[in-house]
Amino acid sequence: MATTPETESLLDCWPRFALSLKSEHRSPKTVTTYHEAVKQFSTWLEENGRSTAVGELKRADIEGFISAILAKSKPATAASRYRSLHRFFAWLLDEEEIAASPMLKTHPPKVELDPPPVLTEAQLVRLLRACEGPRFLDRRDMALVRTLLDTGCRLGEVVNMAVTDIDKDYGVLHVVGKGRRPRAAPIGPKTGIAISRYLKARRTNPRADSPRLWLGQKGPMTNSGVFLAVQHRGELAGLGHIHPHQFRHTFAHRWQLNEGNETDLMMLLGWRSRGMLNRYAASAGAERAAESHRKMALGDL
C-alpha cells in the first residue's frame, strides 16, 4: 500500500519539522526539546499498542500521553511536552499532512506558579565582596557577575558576547538572544567600571586577541566555565550552590518588586510572551505582602 502523508509515523515526519524549525532560527535547545517530545510520544504510543501514524491519532492519545507524563514527572514537564506537540501538529496541519489536529479541544496541564529562586540584597552584597581583588580572575568575575545581575541575560547570551558588543561609553551591551534576535542590554555605572577594569586586565591574557569577551586561562569561556566561576564565587561568599540563571530570576524579581514597567521588562529580557511575567509578579507580590505584614504587625496585640 502506498504511503500517504497521513499514514506516515511521527518519527517519519520529524526531519521535515526539524528543518522547518531551523529555518525559523530556532535554537538547538528548542529543537531538542521538540524532538524529545515527539520521540517520547511515539514510544508511549508503541508501548501501549497504538498507531503512530499522524493521521490516525486522536484526542484520547494526546490526553493519555500527558496523563502518563503527569504520573511520573512535574506538571511543568508535562506542559512542555504538550506545547511541543501542539506546535508539531499545528505544523502538520499547515503543511496539509493531516486533515485535523488531535490537539483540538485538549487542554494544557495546569502548572501552579512556582516563585523562582532569587538572591536577596544581602546575598548579592556578600557575592560582590567575594569577587573583589586585583587578579585577572577577580576582575573578570566581578565584571561577569555584575553583567549577569545588571542585564538579566541568559547564560548563552553572556557566553557569546564579543568585545565589540560593548559600546564605547560602556552604557549598553549588544546581545543576540533566542531566534538570533538582537537587543540592547543597558548597564549601570558600576557594571561599566567593572567591565573597564576587566578589559584592562584582559590585555595580559595569552588569548587577548580572541574576539570573545569572556576569557579563561586557556581561551574563551564556555557555559560550564561561567557556571563554575559563579559557583566558586558563591562558595567563597558562603552562599552555597548558586547558578547563572539565578541572576536572571533576580533581575526580573527586583524589577517587578520595584513596580517597573512590564513591557520594558519583556524587551530587556528578550521575552516574546507575557507568560513569564505572571511567575515573577507572584514572586514580587509575595515579598511585598510579607513586608507589609511585618510593618503592620497584625498579631502583635
Side-chain angles (χ1 to χ4, degrees):
M1 183 177 66
T3 300
T4 63
E6 289 201 345
T7 61
E8 285 188 302
S9 72
L10 291 161
L11 296 183
D12 286 336
C13 295
W14 166 255
R16 298 195 300 281
F17 180 51
L19 187 61
S20 175
L21 293 173
K22 292 174 183 177
S23 72
E24 297 172 0
H25 300 300
R26 297 300 182 100
S27 70
K29 183 178 179 181
T30 298
V31 175
T32 298
T33 298
Y34 283 127
H35 195 199
E36 288 175 351
V38 173
K39 285 196 302 182
Q40 193 172 3
F41 185 36
S42 180
T43 298
W44 180 84
L45 289 168
E46 290 177 348
E47 290 176 347
N48 287 273
R50 304 190 187 200
S51 171
T52 62
V54 293
E56 297 178 10
L57 297 172
K58 307 296 182 185
R59 172 181 173 181
D61 295 316
I62 301 295
E63 293 176 338
F65 172 63
I66 296 301
S67 295
I69 298 295
L70 285 169
K72 297 180 179 180
S73 306
K74 294 180 179 180
T77 300
S80 174
R81 297 291 184 266
Y82 179 91
R83 289 193 301 271
S84 296
L85 291 179
H86 196 282
R87 177 70 181 83
F88 176 64
F89 284 107
W91 172 81
L92 287 171
L93 198 59
D94 286 342
E95 292 294 308
E96 299 182 350
E97 299 202 19
I98 56 175
S101 171
M103 306 294 298
L104 188 65
K105 296 185 179 180
T106 62
H107 301 283
K110 184 178 180 181
V111 180
E112 296 296 332
L113 290 177
D114 182 20
V118 299
L119 296 166
T120 66
E121 186 171 344
Q123 289 175 322
L124 291 172
V125 169
R126 288 165 58 186
L127 181 61
L128 291 170
R129 285 177 180 167
C131 295
E132 292 176 347
R135 301 177 307 159
F136 168 77
L137 292 181
D138 298 326
R139 300 291 195 192
R140 184 201 69 188
D141 290 354
M142 176 65 83
L144 183 60
V145 166
R146 282 196 176 278
T147 295
L148 286 164
L149 176 62
D150 207 9
T151 65
C153 285
R154 301 177 180 92
L155 173 58
E157 294 170 347
V158 172
V159 168
N160 291 322
M161 284 180 181
V163 175
T164 54
D165 289 332
I166 310 169
D167 82 345
K168 61 181 180 180
D169 297 318
Y170 304 130
V172 172
L173 299 177
H174 298 285
V175 179
V176 178
K178 285 186 175 181
R180 301 182 185 177
R181 294 187 297 273
R183 71 177 189 279
I187 55 174
K190 290 186 178 181
T191 300
I193 291 171
I195 290 176
S196 180
R197 288 173 176 168
Y198 163 62
L199 289 176
K200 184 177 180 180
R202 186 182 181 279
R203 297 171 194 159
T204 65
N205 189 284
R207 302 297 179 87
D209 59 343
S210 170
R212 295 277 287 277
L213 175 59
W214 306 107
L215 299 180
Q217 300 288 20
K218 298 181 180 179
M221 296 183 78
T222 61
N223 284 21
S224 61
V226 173
F227 188 96
L228 290 173
V230 169
Q231 187 176 45
H232 173 63
R233 295 295 170 173
E235 290 171 353
L236 289 179
L239 303 180
H241 177 74
I242 63 173
H243 56 83
H245 207 67
Q246 277 182 272
F247 294 100
R248 187 169 171 84
H249 293 324
T250 302
F251 180 98
H253 170 80
R254 289 166 66 87
W255 186 277
Q256 293 274 49
L257 187 64
N258 288 283
E259 300 183 353
N261 182 277
E262 292 183 343
T263 301
D264 291 344
L265 178 60
M266 290 180 64
M267 179 185 68
L268 290 170
L269 295 186
W271 289 339
R272 302 185 73 181
S273 166
R274 297 181 63 86
M276 291 298 293
L277 288 172
N278 294 332
R279 190 180 184 203
Y280 292 104
S283 170
E287 184 169 331
R288 283 195 296 268
E291 180 61 25
S292 296
H293 183 275
R294 284 192 291 271
K295 290 179 178 178
M296 293 180 185
L298 298 176
D300 295 344
L301 302 175

